[in-house]
Amino acid sequence: MPTRAAPPVANLNPDHFERFVDALPIPPVAKPIGDTAAGTRERMPLYRIPMRAADVKLHRDLPATRVWTYGGSVPGPTLETRAGKPIAVDWVNDLPPRHFLPIDHTLHGAEKGTAEVRGIVHLHGGRTPPESDGYPEDWYVPGKSKTYTYPNEQDAALLWYHDHSMGVNRLNIYAGLFGLHIVRDAVEEALHLPSGKYEIPLSFFDRDLRPDGQLSYPVAADPENPWVPEAFGELHLVNGKIFPYLRVEPRKYRFRLLNAANGRFYRLSTSQGVEMKQIGTDQGLLAAPVSVPYLQLAPGERADVVIDFSRHRGARVLLNSDALVLMQFRVGEQRIADPSELPSTLRALPRLAESAAMLTRRLTLDENMSGKGESQGMLLNKTPWHAPITEKPVLGTTEIWELVNLTEDVHPIHLHMVKFQILDRRPFESFQYMTQGTLRYLADASPPDANEMGWKDTARVNSSTVTRIIVPFHGYAGRYVWHCHILEHEDNEMMRPYEIVKA
Ligand code: C2O
Ligand code: CU
Ligand code: CU
């Protein structure tokens, strides 16, 4: 592992901040600027969202912090959409000419001579045609733009859009380039879940700030190779504020959670025995609510949660991640009517049978060792990004991917375009696999957690464990990517193209 350089001055730590002095911001909802011109394509609402620098207050007692945004806020404006109703977004690169975070020119796609400032937007969880998916090498420079089409032909779910530029993706997202995209449908509406001002998005991410309040991204000791294997910030933001509070009424709320951190895993819990019920996962509703005393969210994962505050009038409830405090709910005193519902069944959600798969692929997650036995990052299937495509599922077929984790880390693995189900996880003897290439299991397979039983697009793959996912490749043919969602890994070769081919 590269040695970490100490920052020249100590970064701010959480003790520096007075807690719960800022109200939780809610990202603005994006408004269309009009319709796409008829003739060229189906007519649909057109949005225009610029990527641009902005100075934002992350806490009452901080000066403004320079960030990069979509549309001026972090998270950017929320795209509110409906299943089956396409939209188009003109993503305009209006970023400044120079980057302000440490680029590593030894990384693939970020070589010296490559434009420093580049953007390309990917809709995470979107069933998107390949030409609008934000292929990492399709980045463009300030002054350029691309209009992407999102068909939204998928179930109601919380998706998110973020930068995907080759070799600088971790820096661009750290700078602030992400936002939410909500798909709604009739199935969800029929449930009468809490909605309107009782449905609140919560995006969690961690950052380091220098004493002057500016973003600090960790660097390794070698200035020619500043890449670090993970970036954990000491400060935790919810919707872009440090230690925010939210006033809630004593009734049910629906929270749409996103882990937007580069590498941090959150394990959320509430204080005072307030119950969290998870009703949905990355790709929409679960079959039934699941009570979650602790809710794990890996980078890139989402959760849909209902909290009923009705029995906690007047309480100050904390939302924690292990020992960290993230935010506070201030529950009102005044009893109020709550017409919303939390049905005990949410939707039909058949589990896919293994027999539906026509192919099983075994794919490893590897530590990339140098000749000197030092880790140089991670790989998928021991294959760097630029090698020819090896995974070519046939459109309309189903496959099982056995993800064999030979590293010591948990990696959240994400596939573009598709949704999948987790079949199981099973520990194995990794030394034997590395030396002899044979799988010796150490225990029985365990099913996914109750709150992972729905449709996913990002799954935790634990160390020395085989995680099996079953993936219907339905949607579009074309070239996509799959990768680890720890952004430092993704930027350093833990990403591969794959191609869905026509039958
Ligand atoms: Cu959040 Cu390639 O994805
Ligand atoms: Cu994605
Ligand atoms: Cu990883």
Side-chain angles (χ1 to χ4, degrees), residues 405-409 426-430 442 462-466:
N405 186 350
L406 298 168
T407 77
E408 285 165 14
D409 299 328
R426 192 168 186 189
F428 70 100
E429 218 289 299
S430 67
L442 298 174
N462 299 334
S463 175
S464 300
T465 297
V466 177

Side-chain angles (χ1 to χ4, degrees), residues 36 41 46-47 88-91 131-132 145-149:
T36 53
R41 64 176 110 205
L46 172 67
Y47 296 77
V89 183
D90 187 20
W91 299 104
E131 58 278 9
S132 289
S145 73
K146 264 187 206 294
T147 304
Y148 274 0
T149 304

Side-chain angles (χ1 to χ4, degrees), residues 51-77:
M51 311 166 196
R52 60 180 170 85
D55 297 306
V56 300
K57 291 272 281 183
L58 306 181
H59 185 275
R60 182 195 67 189
D61 300 333
L62 280 176
T65 301
R66 170 51 56 104
V67 290
W68 285 3
T69 72
Y70 291 105
S73 61
V74 181

Side-chain angles (χ1 to χ4, degrees), residues 122 124 160 162 164 414 416 481 483 485 490:
H122 166 62
H124 180 132
W160 64 302
H162 60 71
H164 222 301
H414 169 52
H416 284 206
V481 302
H483 59 88
H485 222 286
E490 174 187 343

